[in-house]
Amino acid sequence: MRNILFTWLICLLSLSVNGNSFTIKGEVDGLMVGDTLSFERIGLPGFELEFAFDAVVEQPNTFTYKGSHGEVGFYMMTYKPSSGTVVSSDKRGLLLLIKGGTTHLIGSTNSIYYCQLKGGLYENEMLQQVLDLENTLGKKRSELLRLMDEARGQGDQEKAKEYGDKFNSFHSDNREEIQRLSLLKKEFYKSFPSSEHTLVDALQDVDSAPFEVSLSKYEKMNSEAQNSFFGQVLKQEIDKIAVLLPGNMAPDFHLTSLDEKEITLADCAGSYVLIYHWGLCPGSFTIEKQVVDLYNTYKDHLIVIGITDKMEEIQGFYESIGPGDKFGDLELKPTLASMLNHPWFDAEKSGDNSRVDTDYAFAGLPYFIFISPDGKIIARDFHAAFNKAKNTMEIEFGKR
C-alpha cells in the first residue's frame, strides 16, 4: 500500500507542471468570513488522507479556490468554522472527484457534507439522480445524530437512546430507498463503465468486492481509463487480490505482539489458522463472543491471530463507558473487557506488523482470513469467512 501511495504522489508531482487547472466555487449559506474549507487528497484503495490545500472564506456564504493537479484528484473536504461547531453528520467530510474546469458546491453549513455538486465531472443526469437520493438519505440519518447529541446535551437519556436506536436501525428502516440507491448506482456504472466515478468506486471496493466483480469492471473500461493512474492502481490491486483467492498459498507473515512474542505462518503448520482483523466497530462487538467461543472449542486444532490498530484506544474506550452502556442489546463493558484479554495472539497493525494489512488486503472490520493446515487460503471475507471456519471445524472435529 505504501509503495502504491508513494508512486501516486510521485506521479502527481511529475504532472503538476502540466497538470489540470481547476476551480472550486462554493455557494454555501451560513459560511462566515474566516471559516476554512480544508481539502485532503485521498489515496486509494486504502483511503489514506494527505493535506492538499485550504480555502479560506473571504465573503459570507461563498468561497473560491483555484489550483492545479495531475490527471484527476479525489478529495475530502472538511468544514472548520472560525467559531462554533459543525452540525452533527454521519459523514467525516464531503468527497469530491475533480479533473479540470469548475466544480460548484451548493448548500448550507447545516448539512455541508451533503452539498449538491455541479459542473466538472458532475455534469451527468444519471449521476445527479444517484447523488440526490444519497444526499436525501444522508441528511435524514444525520438529523437523527443531531437530535441524539442534542438530547444528550439536555440530559434526556431516554430521548437520546430513542434517536440512537433509530440511527442504528436506519438502513433496515429505509431498506426500500437504500435498495433503490444501490440499483441507481449499478445502472450508472453499467451505463458509464469508463467514467472516473466508476473507476474510483471500483478502487474503493476492490478489497471487499467479489474478485469477479472488480475484474469485470476493469475489463469493461476503455483503454484510456485502464491506462489512467487510478486505472493502473486498480489493475495492481486486482492482481494482488488474485493471489489471495481460495486455493492459493497464503502470504507469509512475521508478527510481534505487545509482549514481544512472535509468530510466523510456518509456526502454524499443521493447524488451521484464522486471522481476525478487529477493532472498535459494531461488527467486532457483535461477533466477539462467537470468535472467543470458536477458539475455546477448537483451540487444539485452530490458531487465532488477532490484528488491530491500537490497544491503547480500546483501553481508553473501555474506561470511558459505564457498566450499563449498550450497543443495541449488547452490553459494551464486558465485550470490551473480552477484547482486551483475548486468549489468542494479538498484534497491533503498526511498524513491521503493518505489512500483514498490505499482504492480505483487509477490507474493513471485522475481517477474517481462514487458512488450511498446509498453508492455503480457504476463505477471505467478512462474516462469510468466519462462518466457513466455524462450519469447517464442526465438520472435521465435531460440533460441541
Side-chain angles (χ1 to χ4, degrees):
M1 189 71 70
R2 290 178 178 175
N3 289 338
I4 291 173
L5 181 58
F6 179 74
T7 303
W8 182 60
L9 293 173
I10 293 298
C11 179
L12 285 173
L13 289 171
S14 66
L15 289 172
S16 61
V17 175
N18 299 310
N20 287 317
S21 297
F22 67 90
T23 300
I24 302 174
K25 286 191 174 183
E27 298 172 21
V28 184
D29 291 341
L31 285 180
M32 303 294 290
V33 174
D35 288 354
T36 300
L37 292 310
S38 187
F39 292 78
E40 294 174 283
R41 189 176 288 109
I42 303 170
L44 294 174
F47 217 85
E48 298 94 349
L49 297 175
E50 182 196 37
F51 174 77
F53 54 86
D54 281 340
V56 180
V57 177
E58 297 180 350
Q59 296 182 14
N61 304 322
T62 185
F63 74 90
T64 299
Y65 180 86
K66 295 185 178 182
S68 65
H69 52 200
E71 188 177 324
V72 64
F74 188 36
Y75 300 99
M76 182 168 76
M77 183 198 80
T78 52
Y79 172 46
K80 299 178 179 179
S82 54
S83 62
T85 59
V86 181
V87 176
S88 298
S89 173
D90 67 338
K91 290 175 67 174
R92 294 169 58 192
L94 173 66
L95 303 185
L96 303 95
L97 190 56
I98 298 174
K99 193 169 187 178
T102 301
T103 302
H104 296 268
L105 280 64
I106 303 170
S108 73
T109 54
N110 287 332
S111 54
I112 194 167
Y113 298 149
Y114 289 99
C115 280
Q116 184 179 19
L117 300 171
K118 289 190 173 183
L121 294 177
Y122 293 91
E123 286 299 306
N124 181 292
E125 184 176 345
M126 191 177 296
L127 177 62
Q128 285 298 324
Q129 291 179 19
V130 171
L131 295 177
D132 285 348
L133 181 54
E134 197 168 55
N135 284 349
T136 297
L137 289 167
K139 289 177 182 178
K140 187 176 178 181
R141 191 165 187 252
S142 292
E143 177 63 8
L144 292 172
L145 194 62
R146 186 192 68 79
L147 291 170
M148 180 178 68
D149 288 346
E150 183 180 86
R152 282 178 175 169
Q154 295 171 350
D156 191 339
Q157 298 304 320
E158 185 176 340
K159 274 291 183 184
K161 184 180 184 305
E162 177 187 338
Y163 291 126
D165 290 344
K166 288 181 179 180
F167 180 84
N168 291 328
S169 65
F170 184 84
H171 284 81
S172 57
D173 294 343
N174 295 271
R175 186 176 292 109
E176 187 174 327
E177 286 183 295
I178 288 172
Q179 287 177 344
R180 187 161 72 89
L181 176 60
S182 178
L183 290 173
L184 282 173
K185 286 183 176 180
K186 288 179 180 178
E187 185 179 350
F188 172 78
Y189 299 139
K190 182 179 179 181
S191 300
F192 301 93
S194 300
S195 78
E196 287 85 355
H197 296 279
T198 303
L199 182 49
V200 166
D201 176 77
L203 257 176
Q204 291 184 87
D205 292 344
V206 66
D207 287 345
S208 58
F211 175 77
E212 296 77 11
V213 171
S214 296
L215 181 61
S216 176
K217 277 188 176 181
Y218 176 79
E219 290 177 339
K220 290 176 181 177
M221 294 176 183
N222 60 30
S223 59
E224 181 181 354
Q226 290 181 350
N227 292 326
S228 68
F229 174 72
F230 282 144
Q232 293 177 51
V233 175
L234 176 60
K235 182 60 165 60
Q236 289 176 343
E237 289 299 305
I238 288 173
D239 290 344
K240 183 174 72 175
I241 300 300
V243 176
L244 298 172
L245 293 177
N248 291 336
M249 294 300 297
D252 196 9
F253 55 77
H254 188 153
L255 299 168
T256 304
S257 66
L258 288 176
D259 56 1
E260 298 303 317
K261 293 179 181 178
E262 297 183 7
I263 193 169
T264 68
L265 183 59
D267 296 332
C268 305
S271 296
Y272 284 96
V273 178
L274 186 65
I275 298 176
Y276 174 31
H277 184 224
W278 64 278
L280 293 176
C281 76
S284 293
F285 296 156
T286 56
I287 205 169
E288 170 70 14
K289 186 177 185 303
Q290 296 180 59
V291 183
V292 172
D293 288 346
L294 183 71
Y295 172 80
N296 287 334
T297 302
Y298 298 105
K299 58 186 175 183
D300 292 338
H301 312 284
L302 176 69
I303 296 172
V304 174
I305 299 173
I307 308 291
T308 192
D309 286 321
K310 291 184 178 180
M311 294 295 290
E312 184 179 356
E313 291 181 357
I314 297 159
Q315 180 70 42
F317 186 53
Y318 171 80
E319 294 172 357
S320 71
I321 62 174
D325 288 351
K326 292 184 177 183
F327 174 77
D329 295 328
L330 183 71
E331 292 188 10
L332 285 174
K333 201 77 173 180
T335 300
L336 287 161
S338 173
M339 289 177 162
L340 290 167
N341 295 280
H342 281 154
W344 54 71
F345 185 102
D346 263 331
E348 289 188 336
K349 195 174 56 180
S350 59
D352 292 340
N353 287 347
S354 63
R355 183 176 177 82
V356 71
D357 189 3
T358 302
D359 289 346
Y360 281 95
F362 296 139
L365 299 170
Y367 204 76
F368 299 89
I369 315 289
F370 186 41
I371 301 172
S372 70
D374 58 353
K376 292 182 179 179
I377 293 176
I378 298 175
R380 171 185 165 275
D381 207 333
F382 294 93
H383 286 67
F386 173 77
N387 291 334
K388 179 67 175 179
K390 182 179 179 181
N391 292 338
T392 299
M393 302 310 291
E394 288 178 353
I395 291 171
E396 187 152 348
F397 302 105
K399 190 172 183 179
R400 303 173 191 178

